[in-house]
Amino acid sequence: MIKRLRFTRIFSRARIRQQLYIMYTAVVVIPVVLIGIFLLFHNYRMMVNYHEDLLESDNRRVKNILFEITTQIYNISENITFDDTIQSLLTTDHSSSDACRLAVSQNFLLDHYHSTYTEIQEIAVYTDNPTFADCKQFYCVNKDILEEEWYQKALSRAGIFWEGLFWQDEYGNEYWNLCLIRKVPLINSDYHAVLVIRISDDYLRMRLDSGEYINEISVDRGPVFYSSDRTKYGRMPYSEIDYAEPYFQMSDRIRWDGETCFIDISTLGTYQSDSRLYICTTDPGGYRNIENILWLCGAVLLLALVIPLIMIHFFTAYFVERVGVLRQEMHKASRQDYELIPMFQGKDELSEAFSDLQIMVKNIKEQEAKVYEAQIKEQELLINQQEMEFKMLASQINPHFLYNTLETIRMKAFTAGDREVATAVKLLGKSMRYVLENVGTSYTTLEKELDHVDVYMMIQHLRFGDRIRYERKVEEGMDLSRYQILPLLLQPVVENAIVHGMEEKDEGGLISISVYTKTSDQKEILYIDVEDNGCGMTEEILEKLRNEIEIRDMSRSKSIGLYNINQRINQHYGNGYRTHIYSEKQEGTLVRLVIPVKMR
């Protein structure tokens, strides 16, 4: 707390321009620099790992392809070496060169392999049989071949081995190929033969080149016999290969042609041979791409610092200028100089403060006029308040005054011997009391609501006499005092039945109310049917009435009561509870209220 107070005190002593620059440094520069350094380092490590993983994957791909090719070539060499016809050709003493060439031309095994397997560039068999003549893939060993290191090595060992051999075609073009070399064991013969299967460089290029990485392959301690860059043929491979390690593996970064490159070296042990292939995969542009991305990120980071700095600089100058103008105007007002500038730049808090200053100055200049105006308004409010209180007193009629007045009228009629008028006044009082007591209430009992209908029908009986009879049917066992219902629902329905249903009925009219319950979807439902035997309605009029109680239309004067009842039920109890109307011409009308059972 003390340190925070000390910082606040020191910070508040600085000018606004200095405060903004301090906040920019603390809030923008330091976090952006720290986060930027972290992200640059993190992205550098992530991209390095990404390129190394891709390089290792491509190296593994090349290794798998080479293993597949060398294994296939080995199997072909097995078939050739131990083929009886080949053995017979090499061990036979031919009578003449023509006889030898005829025998060779009739053997199609080497032709078959050469034409079937695209990875084979050449199959050659070298023999020291003096009766042999050069023909097709068979060659007599001359002095040059005899002095070749690979030939002497083949004669001195029984197994196969692999060599990267250089050769030159008849046009002077120089080539390097991976070759399988093995001695062909000639049984019961003093002659020797060596099989050489040369793998096509073009085939290797087609299978191995990815276009993105440079692959170099060498055998044992020999020179590079394959490279994505043809200029690298024949040179020694990467100098740090440890040939003493059986399965040398290395991932590193080296300087390659003046650039830092990713390199991955692995060893492939060939099938049924002690020769080892060294596969060197290089990514010449990966590290440069990483550096370019890092430079780009650094430039973005620098822009993220410079652009806000430029914006802060111009905003600070603009803000300080406006603060200076506001301070100058406030100083003028403090010296009772109320001639302020008419406009102030901007629509922010400073402009609002200047507006408040203008209002304050205006209030000071017009103080006396506003005080007088306030007194007049206060007097007008007092008069209006008195008028409202008078109107409220005039509208507050005590219901008990109304009941007492009706009771006085009833007693005078009773005293005068007019019992019918006395009864009518009594029933009217009971009806009005029920209505006034339930205005604004949420629920009443079904018993009280039916009693109110009984009172209403007694009043109608005084009017219509025996033209209209009334009955109510209640399901056996129902305690009406426990069922709760919205007040003032039934009387408007009964009234509607009398007004519209009985208008053409001169005698024998009947209004019937039935109350019963049913269970639907595990919910107990209360049904109240108000039925009359009046004139009824046609199908068109009935459909129109059903629409009118669903859709509000302020311009009509009919069916308002039924519309209100339906809306009260629907809005209070929810969807599924409403008013249903059924009617047939000259058969009467049934209005059914469907509401959920609510007990108290």
Side-chain angles (χ1 to χ4, degrees), residues 320-341:
V320 169
E321 180 184 358
R322 296 177 67 235
V323 170
V325 173
L326 178 60
R327 179 175 175 275
Q328 179 181 352
E329 296 303 308
M330 294 179 67
H331 183 66
K332 287 168 60 178
S334 68
R335 292 187 288 107
Q336 299 181 350
D337 180 4
Y338 302 128
E339 298 300 325
L340 305 180
I341 59 176

mmCIF file of all heavy atoms in Angstrom, residues 320-341:
data_model
loop_
_atom_site.group_PDB
_atom_site.id
_atom_site.type_symbol
_atom_site.label_atom_id
_atom_site.label_comp_id
_atom_site.label_asym_id
_atom_site.label_seq_id
_atom_site.Cartn_x
_atom_site.Cartn_y
_atom_site.Cartn_z
ATOM 1 N N VAL A 320 -2.686 17.358 -25.016
ATOM 2 C CA VAL A 320 -2.109 18.384 -24.149
ATOM 3 C C VAL A 320 -2.578 19.771 -24.580
ATOM 4 O O VAL A 320 -2.860 20.645 -23.741
ATOM 5 C CB VAL A 320 -0.569 18.271 -24.159
ATOM 6 C CG1 VAL A 320 0.059 19.481 -23.483
ATOM 7 C CG2 VAL A 320 -0.131 16.989 -23.454
ATOM 8 N N GLU A 321 -2.683 19.984 -25.902
ATOM 9 C CA GLU A 321 -3.170 21.281 -26.385
ATOM 10 C C GLU A 321 -4.599 21.535 -25.914
ATOM 11 O O GLU A 321 -4.934 22.637 -25.456
ATOM 12 C CB GLU A 321 -3.098 21.301 -27.908
ATOM 13 C CG GLU A 321 -3.586 22.618 -28.512
ATOM 14 C CD GLU A 321 -3.597 22.581 -30.026
ATOM 15 O OE1 GLU A 321 -3.188 21.555 -30.595
ATOM 16 O OE2 GLU A 321 -4.016 23.587 -30.634
ATOM 17 N N ARG A 322 -5.471 20.532 -26.006
ATOM 18 C CA ARG A 322 -6.856 20.702 -25.580
ATOM 19 C C ARG A 322 -6.965 20.899 -24.074
ATOM 20 O O ARG A 322 -7.792 21.685 -23.603
ATOM 21 C CB ARG A 322 -7.675 19.490 -26.018
ATOM 22 C CG ARG A 322 -7.739 19.352 -27.527
ATOM 23 C CD ARG A 322 -8.478 18.107 -27.966
ATOM 24 N NE ARG A 322 -9.868 18.166 -27.634
ATOM 25 C CZ ARG A 322 -10.523 17.248 -26.919
ATOM 26 N NH1 ARG A 322 -9.873 16.197 -26.466
ATOM 27 N NH2 ARG A 322 -11.808 17.377 -26.663
ATOM 28 N N VAL A 323 -6.153 20.155 -23.311
ATOM 29 C CA VAL A 323 -6.143 20.353 -21.855
ATOM 30 C C VAL A 323 -5.713 21.774 -21.519
ATOM 31 O O VAL A 323 -6.263 22.430 -20.606
ATOM 32 C CB VAL A 323 -5.235 19.308 -21.175
ATOM 33 C CG1 VAL A 323 -5.032 19.647 -19.709
ATOM 34 C CG2 VAL A 323 -5.817 17.918 -21.314
ATOM 35 N N GLY A 324 -4.726 22.290 -22.246
ATOM 36 C CA GLY A 324 -4.269 23.665 -22.014
ATOM 37 C C GLY A 324 -5.367 24.682 -22.277
ATOM 38 O O GLY A 324 -5.550 25.653 -21.513
ATOM 39 N N VAL A 325 -6.143 24.478 -23.373
ATOM 40 C CA VAL A 325 -7.255 25.393 -23.676
ATOM 41 C C VAL A 325 -8.310 25.330 -22.580
ATOM 42 O O VAL A 325 -8.815 26.375 -22.112
ATOM 43 C CB VAL A 325 -7.862 25.033 -25.044
ATOM 44 C CG1 VAL A 325 -9.126 25.868 -25.308
ATOM 45 C CG2 VAL A 325 -6.850 25.272 -26.150
ATOM 46 N N LEU A 326 -8.664 24.106 -22.148
ATOM 47 C CA LEU A 326 -9.659 23.967 -21.088
ATOM 48 C C LEU A 326 -9.179 24.616 -19.799
ATOM 49 O O LEU A 326 -9.950 25.319 -19.107
ATOM 50 C CB LEU A 326 -9.960 22.477 -20.862
ATOM 51 C CG LEU A 326 -10.957 22.157 -19.754
ATOM 52 C CD1 LEU A 326 -12.308 22.796 -20.044
ATOM 53 C CD2 LEU A 326 -11.096 20.650 -19.560
ATOM 54 N N ARG A 327 -7.942 24.420 -19.462
ATOM 55 C CA ARG A 327 -7.382 25.020 -18.232
ATOM 56 C C ARG A 327 -7.408 26.539 -18.326
ATOM 57 O O ARG A 327 -7.728 27.247 -17.350
ATOM 58 C CB ARG A 327 -5.952 24.521 -18.041
ATOM 59 C CG ARG A 327 -5.249 25.075 -16.815
ATOM 60 C CD ARG A 327 -3.892 24.428 -16.654
ATOM 61 N NE ARG A 327 -3.161 25.030 -15.563
ATOM 62 C CZ ARG A 327 -2.421 26.123 -15.654
ATOM 63 N NH1 ARG A 327 -2.303 26.735 -16.832
ATOM 64 N NH2 ARG A 327 -1.785 26.605 -14.600
ATOM 65 N N GLN A 328 -7.099 27.084 -19.510
ATOM 66 C CA GLN A 328 -7.115 28.538 -19.694
ATOM 67 C C GLN A 328 -8.523 29.113 -19.518
ATOM 68 O O GLN A 328 -8.712 30.141 -18.856
ATOM 69 C CB GLN A 328 -6.573 28.876 -21.089
ATOM 70 C CG GLN A 328 -6.550 30.364 -21.415
ATOM 71 C CD GLN A 328 -6.036 30.618 -22.817
ATOM 72 O OE1 GLN A 328 -5.566 29.706 -23.479
ATOM 73 N NE2 GLN A 328 -6.119 31.848 -23.261
ATOM 74 N N GLU A 329 -9.538 28.426 -20.077
ATOM 75 C CA GLU A 329 -10.912 28.911 -19.947
ATOM 76 C C GLU A 329 -11.394 28.810 -18.506
ATOM 77 O O GLU A 329 -12.128 29.679 -18.021
ATOM 78 C CB GLU A 329 -11.831 28.118 -20.873
ATOM 79 C CG GLU A 329 -11.530 28.288 -22.363
ATOM 80 C CD GLU A 329 -11.587 29.755 -22.779
ATOM 81 O OE1 GLU A 329 -12.607 30.406 -22.487
ATOM 82 O OE2 GLU A 329 -10.621 30.236 -23.386
ATOM 83 N N MET A 330 -11.036 27.750 -17.819
ATOM 84 C CA MET A 330 -11.403 27.615 -16.410
ATOM 85 C C MET A 330 -10.734 28.703 -15.568
ATOM 86 O O MET A 330 -11.330 29.241 -14.626
ATOM 87 C CB MET A 330 -11.032 26.218 -15.889
ATOM 88 C CG MET A 330 -11.815 25.083 -16.529
ATOM 89 S SD MET A 330 -11.339 23.456 -15.905
ATOM 90 C CE MET A 330 -11.903 23.561 -14.215
ATOM 91 N N HIS A 331 -9.510 29.057 -15.901
ATOM 92 C CA HIS A 331 -8.808 30.118 -15.183
ATOM 93 C C HIS A 331 -9.514 31.464 -15.399
ATOM 94 O O HIS A 331 -9.640 32.278 -14.471
ATOM 95 C CB HIS A 331 -7.356 30.183 -15.656
ATOM 96 C CG HIS A 331 -6.530 31.189 -14.923
ATOM 97 N ND1 HIS A 331 -6.227 31.083 -13.575
ATOM 98 C CD2 HIS A 331 -5.935 32.348 -15.345
ATOM 99 C CE1 HIS A 331 -5.498 32.104 -13.197
ATOM 100 N NE2 HIS A 331 -5.305 32.897 -14.254
ATOM 101 N N LYS A 332 -10.014 31.700 -16.629
ATOM 102 C CA LYS A 332 -10.775 32.919 -16.908
ATOM 103 C C LYS A 332 -12.045 32.955 -16.066
ATOM 104 O O LYS A 332 -12.405 33.997 -15.499
ATOM 105 C CB LYS A 332 -11.125 32.985 -18.393
ATOM 106 C CG LYS A 332 -9.942 33.319 -19.286
ATOM 107 C CD LYS A 332 -10.271 33.093 -20.751
ATOM 108 C CE LYS A 332 -11.434 33.951 -21.190
ATOM 109 N NZ LYS A 332 -11.721 33.772 -22.629
ATOM 110 N N ALA A 333 -12.728 31.817 -15.972
ATOM 111 C CA ALA A 333 -13.953 31.787 -15.169
ATOM 112 C C ALA A 333 -13.663 32.010 -13.698
ATOM 113 O O ALA A 333 -14.462 32.641 -12.988
ATOM 114 C CB ALA A 333 -14.655 30.446 -15.376
ATOM 115 N N SER A 334 -12.533 31.509 -13.236
ATOM 116 C CA SER A 334 -12.191 31.727 -11.823
ATOM 117 C C SER A 334 -11.915 33.195 -11.525
ATOM 118 O O SER A 334 -12.038 33.634 -10.375
ATOM 119 C CB SER A 334 -10.974 30.870 -11.458
ATOM 120 O OG SER A 334 -9.803 31.324 -12.122
ATOM 121 N N ARG A 335 -11.542 33.976 -12.552
ATOM 122 C CA ARG A 335 -11.324 35.414 -12.387
ATOM 123 C C ARG A 335 -12.569 36.219 -12.763
ATOM 124 O O ARG A 335 -12.503 37.421 -12.980
ATOM 125 C CB ARG A 335 -10.137 35.848 -13.258
ATOM 126 C CG ARG A 335 -8.805 35.287 -12.780
ATOM 127 C CD ARG A 335 -7.626 35.854 -13.556
ATOM 128 N NE ARG A 335 -7.563 35.332 -14.916
ATOM 129 C CZ ARG A 335 -7.867 36.053 -15.980
ATOM 130 N NH1 ARG A 335 -8.310 37.294 -15.871
ATOM 131 N NH2 ARG A 335 -7.768 35.512 -17.204
ATOM 132 N N GLN A 336 -13.735 35.496 -12.811
ATOM 133 C CA GLN A 336 -15.032 36.113 -13.107
ATOM 134 C C GLN A 336 -15.079 36.726 -14.504
ATOM 135 O O GLN A 336 -15.836 37.677 -14.733
ATOM 136 C CB GLN A 336 -15.398 37.159 -12.038
ATOM 137 C CG GLN A 336 -15.512 36.565 -10.643
ATOM 138 C CD GLN A 336 -15.901 37.600 -9.604
ATOM 139 O OE1 GLN A 336 -15.920 38.808 -9.880
ATOM 140 N NE2 GLN A 336 -16.208 37.145 -8.400
ATOM 141 N N ASP A 337 -14.289 36.164 -15.391
ATOM 142 C CA ASP A 337 -14.353 36.555 -16.788
ATOM 143 C C ASP A 337 -15.154 35.479 -17.510
ATOM 144 O O ASP A 337 -14.651 34.390 -17.794
ATOM 145 C CB ASP A 337 -12.939 36.665 -17.371
ATOM 146 C CG ASP A 337 -12.961 37.084 -18.841
ATOM 147 O OD1 ASP A 337 -14.056 37.349 -19.370
ATOM 148 O OD2 ASP A 337 -11.880 37.135 -19.453
ATOM 149 N N TYR A 338 -16.444 35.761 -17.779
ATOM 150 C CA TYR A 338 -17.344 34.753 -18.298
ATOM 151 C C TYR A 338 -17.467 34.757 -19.817
ATOM 152 O O TYR A 338 -18.366 34.123 -20.365
ATOM 153 C CB TYR A 338 -18.733 34.937 -17.676
ATOM 154 C CG TYR A 338 -18.715 34.852 -16.161
ATOM 155 C CD1 TYR A 338 -19.282 35.862 -15.390
ATOM 156 C CD2 TYR A 338 -18.125 33.769 -15.522
ATOM 157 C CE1 TYR A 338 -19.268 35.785 -14.006
ATOM 158 C CE2 TYR A 338 -18.095 33.688 -14.134
ATOM 159 C CZ TYR A 338 -18.667 34.694 -13.378
ATOM 160 O OH TYR A 338 -18.644 34.616 -12.025
ATOM 161 N N GLU A 339 -16.584 35.469 -20.496
ATOM 162 C CA GLU A 339 -16.591 35.477 -21.963
ATOM 163 C C GLU A 339 -15.728 34.306 -22.464
ATOM 164 O O GLU A 339 -14.553 34.458 -22.753
ATOM 165 C CB GLU A 339 -16.060 36.826 -22.486
ATOM 166 C CG GLU A 339 -16.891 38.013 -22.091
ATOM 167 C CD GLU A 339 -18.315 37.900 -22.615
ATOM 168 O OE1 GLU A 339 -18.501 37.350 -23.732
ATOM 169 O OE2 GLU A 339 -19.244 38.331 -21.907
ATOM 170 N N LEU A 340 -16.327 33.126 -22.540
ATOM 171 C CA LEU A 340 -15.594 31.919 -22.947
ATOM 172 C C LEU A 340 -15.605 31.775 -24.457
ATOM 173 O O LEU A 340 -16.421 32.377 -25.154
ATOM 174 C CB LEU A 340 -16.225 30.676 -22.305
ATOM 175 C CG LEU A 340 -16.370 30.696 -20.773
ATOM 176 C CD1 LEU A 340 -17.014 29.399 -20.311
ATOM 177 C CD2 LEU A 340 -15.026 30.898 -20.101
ATOM 178 N N ILE A 341 -14.677 30.942 -24.953
ATOM 179 C CA ILE A 341 -14.650 30.676 -26.390
ATOM 180 C C ILE A 341 -15.939 29.919 -26.757
ATOM 181 O O ILE A 341 -16.448 29.124 -25.957
ATOM 182 C CB ILE A 341 -13.407 29.852 -26.790
ATOM 183 C CG1 ILE A 341 -13.378 28.507 -26.058
ATOM 184 C CG2 ILE A 341 -12.137 30.636 -26.515
ATOM 185 C CD1 ILE A 341 -12.233 27.606 -26.475
#
